[in-house]
Amino acid sequence: MSRSVRWRRLSLWTALVPVVALVAGLLFATSSRTALGTDLRAGESSQLPGLIQQRDADVARQQEELAQLQQQVQGLTDQAASRNGEVAAAQAEGAQGTTSAGLTALEGPGLSVTLDDAPPEPNGAQPGNVSPDNLVIHQSDVQGVVNAMWAAGADGVAIMGQRLIATSAVICVGNTLLLQGRTYSPPFVVTAVGNAAEMRQRLAASYEVQLLRAAVDQFGLTYQVADQRQVSLPAYEGPLDLQYASTAPTD
């Protein structure tokens, strides 16, 4: 090979090396920015627990801020009512509906219902030949219990110590319960203030609860009902704005 040919090849290689290095550097930088310090192959599932924890912390902080703002608003309202008769009258009228709206704490005799997933086998494995979907408490189970309590005329209902109001939504994500921005793991405890005998009758007549009791007998889920001499329900402290609504069509 002549010197001129070797020189041309060396010159070409010398020119390509910086280009290859630059492209490789861009690829590494792009991968780093995309991953944001995480494992690209792991997917979103590995980040889900951390996201849930972060969300719970954000909700707790926002609820604390909301409680402080509500206290400030109540204090200013009380000051205005002390100087203005119309404000005082409106405040008294509004206070009459706060109990039924769930905005004040409530105590009295009532009922509690505990719902839980089926326990695993002694070796930690799930029962064989059974769909995992049949071994967990579902949203319809919790909602069926709550609806039966309301239908029995309960004065107030709470899930996991959180007071329910007319706009509260019960949502299950996997085997966890999402309620007013917070997540809860089973067992789920539903408590209500009201006539325990009437609530028991409504629970027994509920179609959703009947399906749950069949699953209890077949798959070993937990459904326990207990009368309570004294139930203490906290006041609802979440947002009161209506986010979703629809109207029925008119003729």
Side-chain angles (χ1 to χ4, degrees):
M1 183 180 297
S2 64
R3 177 180 296 180
S4 61
V5 173
R6 289 198 305 269
W7 183 85
R8 285 197 299 272
R9 288 184 176 178
L10 290 174
S11 299
L12 180 60
W13 174 252
T14 303
L16 286 176
V17 167
V19 175
V20 172
L22 178 61
V23 172
L26 289 174
L27 289 175
F28 283 126
T30 302
S31 176
S32 176
R33 288 177 61 84
T34 303
L36 295 176
T38 62
D39 184 2
L40 285 173
R41 296 182 61 189
E44 295 182 356
S45 60
S46 64
Q47 304 176 30
L48 185 57
L51 292 175
I52 292 176
Q53 293 178 359
Q54 180 181 357
R55 176 61 176 172
D56 282 346
D58 292 341
V59 170
R61 175 180 53 79
Q62 292 172 359
Q63 288 181 336
E64 183 178 353
E65 293 177 355
L66 176 61
Q68 294 176 354
L69 292 174
Q70 288 175 334
Q71 291 179 356
Q72 294 177 14
V73 170
Q74 185 62 47
L76 293 173
T77 303
D78 292 341
Q79 291 180 11
S82 65
R83 299 189 299 267
N84 189 310
E86 293 183 358
V87 174
Q91 189 180 35
E93 182 179 357
Q96 296 178 0
T98 56
T99 300
S100 59
L103 303 181
T104 58
L106 181 65
E107 292 186 355
L111 199 72
S112 67
V113 178
T114 302
L115 310 173
D116 200 359
D117 298 342
E121 298 290 342
N123 59 2
Q126 296 291 349
N129 301 323
V130 178
S131 171
D133 195 52
N134 293 325
L135 303 175
V136 298
I137 295 296
H138 291 280
Q139 174 179 325
S140 59
D141 302 326
V142 181
Q143 191 67 64
V145 170
V146 171
N147 289 344
M149 289 177 165
W150 285 128
D155 297 320
V157 181
I159 301 178
M160 305 300 284
Q162 280 215 48
R163 186 75 171 271
L164 302 183
I165 62 173
T167 57
S168 298
V170 178
I171 302 174
C172 283
V173 181
N175 69 331
T176 62
L177 178 67
L178 178 62
L179 179 63
Q180 294 163 185
R182 304 293 297 272
T183 54
Y184 301 92
S185 298
F188 306 128
V189 180
V190 185
T191 53
V193 172
N195 188 307
E198 181 66 23
M199 286 189 282
R200 281 182 176 272
Q201 292 179 4
R202 289 287 184 171
L203 287 168
S206 169
Y207 175 72
E208 289 79 11
V209 176
Q210 290 176 7
L211 292 179
L212 170 61
R213 296 181 66 175
V216 170
D217 296 336
Q218 186 173 0
F219 304 113
L221 282 74
T222 295
Y223 170 74
Q224 296 177 342
V225 182
D227 294 357
Q228 302 292 337
R229 292 185 177 180
Q230 190 73 3
V231 176
S232 298
L233 302 182
Y236 175 80
E237 296 181 348
L240 297 174
D241 57 311
L242 183 62
Q243 296 181 351
Y244 304 98
S246 62
T247 57
T250 57
D251 296 334

